[in-house]
Amino acid sequence: MKLTEHFTLEELTASETAERNGWDNTPNEQELANLVRLAEFLEQVKEVLAGKPIMISSGLRTKKVNDAVGSKDTSQHRIGCAADFKVPGMTPDEVVKAIVASGIGYDQVIREFDRWTHISIPNSINFSPRAQALIIDKAGTRPYA
């Protein structure tokens, strides 16, 4: 199901962990609404990145899936407000720099282990984006500099 021009429900709910274990990763009504907002935001990210492909590796994670990958219950993936992705031809550092410089309303953008980028939107339409830019790697979590 197409959520926006370039993003589908299937790619924002796909999970190798869920598939491998036969688990359901279907969003509820609120999670689906969040995924639509996330897809709309990802269209803005795509514009910032000059139309380059955004390859989603993780979007929504049900509790069972989230627990299995070792993430916290507070992860924005749990409610459909976050996606991890790669952009062919760009490093995660280049992606983060472009997003931060663009001024678009991200909640968090994280360079994770220098292998992928995490992006999120506020958990509710009533919240303002925090514009947190971070790095997560073996050394821990710290502000993006």
Side-chain angles (χ1 to χ4, degrees), residues 24-85:
D24 185 26
N25 201 46
T26 303
N28 64 31
E29 190 175 316
Q30 184 57 56
E31 292 163 347
L32 179 58
N34 287 340
L35 288 169
V36 170
R37 287 191 308 117
L38 179 61
E40 290 167 349
F41 181 73
L42 287 169
E43 292 290 350
Q44 293 178 50
V45 172
K46 188 172 179 67
E47 277 186 42
V48 165
L49 302 177
K52 290 186 168 80
I54 293 176
M55 313 302 288
I56 306 292
S57 57
S58 182
L60 175 73
R61 295 185 203 137
T62 59
K63 177 160 178 47
K64 194 179 270 192
V65 172
N66 200 59
D67 289 349
V69 300
S71 189
K72 297 177 183 176
D73 270 343
T74 56
S75 169
Q76 290 176 290
H77 287 278
R78 286 279 295 113
I79 58 172
C81 288
D84 296 338
F85 65 96

